[in-house]
Each structure stands twice: as structure tokens, then as C-alpha cells.
Amino acid sequence: RRIGAVAQLFSEAGIIGLTAFISPYRIDRDRVRNNLQPGEFIEVFVDTPIEVCESRDPKGLYKKARAGEIKGFTGVDDPYEAPLSPEMVLSAAEKTPDDLADEVIAYLVEQGICPAQEDRIRPLQASLETA
């Protein structure tokens, strides 16, 4: 809820905010979506099997959660409610982080939220030429 409130402030200021975190409950995600204008909340579901999450865990948090050292750990002893209809689904088990980032940027460009890369570069080149 706190992250959603901060994202709403950014949105009201005309700033695109990208947040990356585990939000395990649909009701919390829906609450944030409902507090924003239509189209301002883009839910990206990074679909990753729990086995892949555990294999990529550099801090050993899953191991500690399975040993009972950490209580309320999402996906181990606390539930995760996958989104029912997210705007994007990314398959993290099959792609690199760079590939996934490219997919998000492509989506933002397709939706007219973010300019295409060449459109971002041209003004910079023009300003460098006149400097």
C-alpha cells in the first residue's frame, strides 16, 4: 500500500514510476489500481516457478524459510495470489533480465507511454550538435 501511495504521487506529478516488488495479494494490487486513473497502473507478472526462485536465491532466504527460520515467507509458508489478468506476463525462467527489460520497454513504447529509443536519442544528438 505504501509503494502504491508513492507511485500515485509520482503519477499525479506526471512521472512514470516503475516499481519492482513482491505483492502477494490481489486485493492489495487491485486497491492500488483503483486509486489511479485508467491506464496508469500496468501490472507486470514475472512468472517464475518457485524452484527457479530458490535456485537464484543468493542470500539463502528460501532455505531459511523452509527451515522455519523465516516466518510468513511468500511462496513457502505464505500464499502468493497470481494476477488474473495482468497487462504483461514475463517468463523469467526462460529469459535474461535484459530480455525482460526490453519486453517492458517495448510494451511502454507500443502503448505510447514512452517514446521509442530513436526518438529519445535525436533530441540529445541535436542538443550536442548545437553545444
Side-chain angles (χ1 to χ4, degrees):
R1 289 181 299 227
R2 289 184 209 134
I3 294 168
V6 172
Q8 183 176 0
L9 291 173
F10 274 86
S11 179
E12 289 169 358
I15 299 169
I16 296 172
L18 300 175
T19 62
F21 57 94
I22 297 171
S23 180
Y25 301 108
R26 282 186 205 108
I27 192 167
D28 292 333
R29 297 187 302 263
D30 289 344
R31 193 174 293 132
V32 173
R33 182 187 296 272
N34 292 333
N35 285 333
L36 294 166
Q37 296 299 313
E40 290 183 348
F41 181 90
I42 300 168
E43 188 169 19
V44 179
F45 174 39
V46 182
D47 189 5
T48 312
I50 190 84
E51 301 80 27
V52 173
C53 293
E54 290 186 55
S55 72
R56 295 179 179 172
D57 180 17
K59 297 180 183 177
L61 298 177
Y62 282 93
K63 186 176 181 179
K64 289 179 182 178
R66 294 212 181 275
E69 297 174 33
I70 300 175
K71 302 291 183 198
F73 198 84
T74 301
V76 176
D77 65 343
D78 226 26
Y80 177 77
E81 299 171 354
L84 298 176
S85 55
E87 283 75 10
M88 292 191 74
V89 177
L90 303 177
S91 299
E94 303 159 4
K95 297 179 182 171
T96 69
D98 285 344
D99 291 338
L100 299 174
D102 288 343
E103 285 186 37
V104 172
I105 292 168
Y107 178 87
L108 294 174
V109 169
E110 288 169 12
Q111 298 300 309
I113 297 167
C114 179
Q117 183 173 357
E118 55 274 1
D119 294 338
R120 293 189 302 260
I121 292 172
R122 285 191 194 117
L124 176 61
Q125 287 173 333
S127 66
L128 290 174
E129 290 169 4
T130 59

